[in-house]
Amino acid sequence: MPRTRSNDDTAVERVLRGLRDDIIDGTRPGGEHLVERTIAEEYEVSRLPVRIAIRRLTLDGLVDQLPRRGSFVRPMTRSDVADVAELHHAFDRLAVRTAAVRRGEADLERFRGHVAAAEAAEAAGDRDELARVGVRFRSDTYLASANRPLLEIHDALLSRTQRMFALAERSATAPLPYYRRFLAAFEARDADAADAAMAEFSAHLRAARQERMLRRLDDALSPGAPRTTVHMRPAGGTAAEGESADAESSDAAPVIEGVRADIIAGRRRPGEVLSERALSQEYGVGRIPVRQAIDALRFEGLATDGTSRIPSRVRAIPPEEAADFFDVCVTLDVLASRLAAQRPTRDELALLEARLLEEERLSPDDPEQLLDRMFAFRRQVYVMAENRLLLEIGRLVEARMRMLVAHAPMAAEVKRGHRFLFEAIASRETGLAEAIYLSVFTDPSRRDRVVDGPAG
């Protein structure tokens, strides 16, 4: 039966919302082939809105686009659950600490309302409503942080977070005492108390996940249950459709890379219009790959949102946002460094050392090449962390981090820090790796140089 039309939604928004909800609640399970033609008929739209919606779901990490095969719902595995949980542990603590300091009275009223709703749900034994309150409480905590880069991370993780929680056994968690502790910490502007409560809450959720959620994933993958992993081309789709999508992705790649490089180097200035027509002519591709490229740049924070009437523009990093962005990057890098030091393989260490030696050989007189080598070392650390989601988020922020670091003369310090970090990772000293990163890269004077660089 066709979906009901809504005058308030655009075609893309309707399809996007519907597909996202279906994936989160399991109506469209992992491995399902998303056939544009079928979905377009279901929503009574053309195939273009469906194609755009699927691309956005790919950016959200809910869909995989496979070469010459088409688009498939990404399976939710044990590893995916662990990946999301590791990022939650790091970013939720940053969120509650920041919210405790920056929250306003309107934020407190929302939190009080959430606690009251949780108490009512607990009294009624409504575990589903209690879970929904938790999602709202968490989202409003990020909102109260007033940290735009942190909110971007929250948005990037939201769909996968909701999908993970949809697998949870509601009776396995008892969140109400923690909501009360968060509220008390927020009211007192006590960042340490909020952090301590979140650390304990994360441990509580981790125990619940291990007991219930992973068991349900095992049940879903047990013999006789429907498999969610794609092993072969499923029936129902055409090769031409998959190949068309692959061609567009291939055409979009040079546009993404070229425009990104221009923005980082300052050849495209903040506020400059990203014209679909002009970029199409410049790169010799169609308008659809250009739209795909602009969407990817917007996702990376390098372009503003555009509409049919207002074009996207190059986005700057405002001075008031730079410090927040730096804190987000530190949270990511510390997590990556700690995870990379857990069990590095010999091949991984050899590749990391090769990246380090390339960096150490370069002269400070070649800042652009040196920056490339520094970030190559950083990317290898992220790869070694073996957290696919962390790697995705690291790529999401890398371009803006390069823009900040490019203005800060600290090459010698970074080289020395990377040498110490390599030794810690090679020794499997997770605590030392984290301590080295914090001592070398977050020293107040160095932090100020990075944060103040663009403004200067």
Side-chain angles (χ1 to χ4, degrees):
M1 178 179 295
R3 302 293 180 112
T4 303
R5 292 182 181 273
S6 170
N7 293 330
D8 296 328
D9 293 342
T10 68
V12 172
E13 288 168 345
R14 284 195 298 111
V15 177
L16 180 61
R17 184 182 298 112
L19 291 178
R20 180 184 285 128
D21 290 346
D22 286 349
I23 293 171
I24 288 171
D25 67 20
T27 303
R28 295 182 187 270
E32 179 172 319
H33 190 192
L34 299 178
V35 182
E36 290 179 7
R37 181 184 61 258
T38 303
I39 296 171
E41 292 172 355
E42 181 181 353
Y43 284 87
E44 295 185 322
V45 297
S46 69
R47 287 172 60 171
L48 181 58
V50 175
R51 189 171 302 168
I52 295 172
I54 289 175
R55 286 186 188 130
R56 293 186 182 175
L57 291 170
T58 302
L59 292 175
D60 281 348
L62 297 181
V63 170
D64 288 321
Q65 291 187 304
L66 306 180
R68 295 178 297 281
R69 293 167 68 181
S71 300
F72 300 85
V73 176
R74 178 180 291 181
M76 191 76 173
T77 66
R78 274 183 176 237
S79 178
D80 294 324
V81 171
D83 288 353
V84 175
E86 284 175 340
L87 265 72
H88 275 196
H89 180 70
F91 283 110
D92 287 358
R93 292 182 68 176
L94 176 60
V96 296
R97 290 191 65 87
T98 311
V101 174
R102 297 181 177 180
R103 77 358 174 230
E105 288 302 316
D107 297 314
L108 287 181
E109 286 305 309
R110 283 194 294 271
F111 291 131
R112 292 175 184 131
H114 294 328
V115 170
E119 290 171 341
E122 178 83 7
D126 190 342
R127 307 301 296 183
D128 288 339
E129 174 59 18
L130 192 59
R132 288 190 289 269
V133 171
V135 172
R136 295 195 295 269
F137 198 112
R138 183 174 181 275
S139 292
D140 281 342
T141 299
Y142 276 74
L143 186 64
S145 75
N147 181 322
R148 176 167 177 160
L150 190 57
L151 278 166
E152 290 176 7
I153 301 295
H154 170 265
D155 291 345
L157 296 177
L158 182 58
S159 294
R160 279 167 281 200
T161 298
Q162 292 171 329
R163 195 179 183 195
M164 180 181 72
F165 286 157
L167 292 167
E169 179 64 45
R170 302 288 189 248
S171 61
T173 60
L176 182 54
Y178 297 100
Y179 298 160
R180 289 170 174 154
R181 288 177 62 183
F182 292 140
L183 175 58
F186 293 159
E187 289 177 329
R189 294 190 186 275
D190 190 337
D192 291 337
D195 189 16
M198 181 54 74
E200 292 181 29
F201 189 37
S202 295
H204 173 71
L205 292 177
R206 188 181 305 115
R209 263 194 313 275
Q210 291 171 348
E211 180 180 353
R212 302 284 185 178
M213 191 181 304
L214 297 184
R215 186 182 304 168
R216 293 184 68 182
L217 280 171
D218 285 342
D219 291 342
L221 295 173
S222 62
R227 308 301 293 183
T228 59
T229 303
V230 179
H231 295 293
M232 64 187 68
R233 182 194 300 277
T238 65
E241 182 175 310
E243 288 166 4
S244 175
D246 295 337
E248 289 171 8
S249 298
S250 177
D251 288 343
V255 185
I256 297 170
E257 294 169 5
V259 176
R260 180 196 292 127
D262 287 346
I263 293 173
I264 293 172
R267 291 186 291 269
R268 295 185 190 269
R269 307 292 297 172
E272 180 178 331
V273 170
L274 295 174
S275 166
E276 289 184 9
R277 179 180 297 176
L279 289 173
S280 178
Q281 294 174 346
E282 180 178 349
Y283 286 90
V285 297
R287 297 281 283 272
I288 291 178
V290 169
R291 286 178 199 152
Q292 184 179 1
I294 292 175
D295 209 29
L297 294 167
R298 178 196 57 78
F299 193 71
E300 293 181 23
L302 298 179
T304 63
D305 292 335
T307 67
S308 58
R309 297 184 178 182
I310 303 174
S312 293
R313 295 176 180 270
V314 175
R315 184 176 176 270
I317 303 178
E320 63 274 13
E321 188 180 306
D324 286 344
F325 185 75
F326 185 86
D327 291 340
V328 165
C329 290
V330 166
T331 300
L332 280 168
D333 287 357
V334 166
L335 177 59
S337 300
R338 178 157 42 85
L339 294 176
Q342 287 183 350
R343 293 195 67 83
T345 67
R346 181 174 299 179
D347 289 344
E348 288 174 336
L349 286 173
L351 190 53
L352 185 64
E353 186 172 28
R355 296 285 182 267
L356 176 65
L357 293 175
E358 289 171 358
E359 179 183 321
E360 290 178 336
R361 290 190 193 103
L362 281 176
S363 165
D365 296 333
D366 191 355
E368 191 167 338
Q369 284 293 320
L370 184 56
L371 194 64
D372 285 342
R373 297 297 182 272
M374 288 176 179
F375 275 88
F377 180 94
R378 180 178 181 268
R379 280 193 298 274
Q380 179 60 21
V381 171
Y382 273 66
V383 170
M384 292 172 64
E386 295 186 348
N387 181 315
R388 183 171 67 173
L389 185 54
L390 177 64
L391 187 59
E392 289 179 20
I393 300 299
R395 289 170 178 161
L396 172 67
V397 304
E398 179 177 314
R400 282 175 288 173
M401 193 61 188
R402 286 175 68 107
M403 291 171 66
L404 291 177
V405 173
H407 297 275
M410 49 188 294
E413 294 150 326
V414 172
K415 282 184 179 181
R416 185 168 62 253
H418 282 176
R419 167 56 66 179
F420 291 149
L421 185 58
F422 169 78
E423 298 295 343
I425 291 173
S427 301
R428 297 184 180 178
E429 296 283 353
T430 56
L432 181 59
E434 180 174 341
I436 287 172
Y437 184 91
L438 290 172
S439 65
V440 174
F441 299 104
T442 64
D443 176 88
S445 65
R446 300 184 185 104
R447 184 181 188 277
D448 289 345
R449 269 181 280 165
V450 172
V451 170
D452 296 338

